[in-house]
Structure formats: structure tokens, C-alpha cells
Amino acid sequence: MVTNLKHVAELSVTMRQEDREEIWHLARSTPEKALRVAYETCTYNRTVLLDGKVALIFGVGGEKGRVGIPWMLASPLLQKVRKPFLREAKGFLDEMSEGYPVLHNLAWSKNTEHIRWLKWMGFTFLPAVPMGPDGELYTEFYKVT
């Protein structure tokens, strides 16, 4: 489902702790700010619902024809939609990557749920390095599309 402001507001309150920490340690961003920026600047934003509640929002930003920046933030409902989402994820990735020769972003090394998903999706990972004001380990990931 295409993301709307109601989804953004809901997930900013219900976001998983790992996702909150990932955006905080890297950029000192709040869930609301990170989601609002993504919603307003990304070319592709999608929401996965479970019984009408936001399980996750994901998307891609960046200038078409250049590097796309994929992202995903989730609520604890992610655990309940994991398998159905994985069945659909490669189709979403095809849609997301349209117009981007490369997808690239960072992942907090402690956000193992997202790293597992990215690996399953075929992304390549570089060694983790300290980043952000707290020097937490982040790993760059990329995929040539």
C-alpha cells in the first residue's frame, strides 16, 4: 500500500527499539523526523499493514539514474508479517530499483533483523566501521540492479 501521513504518524509511535536506536545513533534523529523526511523526499514509499496496523514502511530515495537509497523501518508487528512480506519482497525490490543502477545505504550492525532481510534480498555488505556521534558500528550495503 502506498504510504500516507497516517502511517507515518502511527509508526513514529510504534517503531521497534532496534530501528529507533539505529536512526538515533547515526544521526540523532527521532522516529517522527526520520519517517517524515523519508515520506517527503523519497520517490517510492510503501506500507505493510497487519489488521489495519502499520507493520513496516519502506522505500527508496535519491535521484533517478544515480544511486538509490533504500530504507525500512518497522514496528514489532514485523515478526508477524515476516514470511508473507518475504514472499513479496523481491517484487517490491524490483519496483524500488527501477531507474536506479545501484542501491546503497547503511545498516546498524546490531539491527540483525534488517541485515538478515537485506542479505536474503541479495545485497552485498562491506565491513562494519564506527559511524555517528556514538561511534556505533554500521555496515554499508549495496546492490547493482
Side-chain angles (χ1 to χ4, degrees):
M1 161 179 289
V2 175
T3 302
N4 62 45
L5 285 173
K6 181 180 177 230
H7 301 149
V8 167
E10 181 181 330
L11 187 58
S12 70
V13 174
T14 62
M15 190 179 291
R16 293 176 339 120
Q17 187 62 33
E18 296 91 334
D19 291 358
R20 290 175 180 278
E21 290 181 37
E22 180 169 344
I23 59 178
W24 179 255
H25 289 306
L26 184 62
R28 290 292 191 255
S29 185
T30 63
E32 182 179 16
K33 181 179 178 185
L35 286 163
R36 180 65 78 139
V37 167
Y39 177 77
E40 292 174 355
T41 63
C42 290
T43 57
Y44 179 97
N45 293 301
R46 296 295 182 269
T47 299
V48 174
L49 300 174
L50 177 65
D51 298 328
K53 296 187 188 302
V54 175
L56 61 115
I57 300 176
F58 63 96
V60 65
E63 187 179 334
K64 292 282 186 170
R66 305 194 84 174
V67 175
I69 305 162
W71 61 275
M72 180 174 82
L73 297 167
S75 77
L77 292 174
L78 175 64
Q79 295 298 321
K80 293 182 178 180
V81 300
R82 180 188 304 163
K83 287 183 183 177
F85 178 64
L86 286 176
R87 284 193 289 273
E88 304 292 328
K90 294 210 175 177
F92 289 132
L93 183 62
D94 289 344
E95 289 178 10
M96 286 173 58
S97 59
E98 189 173 310
Y100 297 106
V102 175
L103 297 176
H104 172 270
N105 205 344
L106 303 169
W108 185 41
S109 294
K110 294 178 184 174
N111 200 339
T112 57
E113 184 79 22
H114 285 176
I115 290 172
R116 272 196 314 266
W117 174 71
L118 289 163
K119 286 181 178 177
W120 186 84
M121 296 294 292
F123 283 86
T124 300
F125 285 78
L126 299 177
V129 295
M131 292 185 182
D134 299 324
E136 289 282 322
L137 292 178
Y138 283 78
T139 181
E140 291 182 72
F141 61 89
Y142 69 92
K143 183 176 184 79
V144 177
T145 60

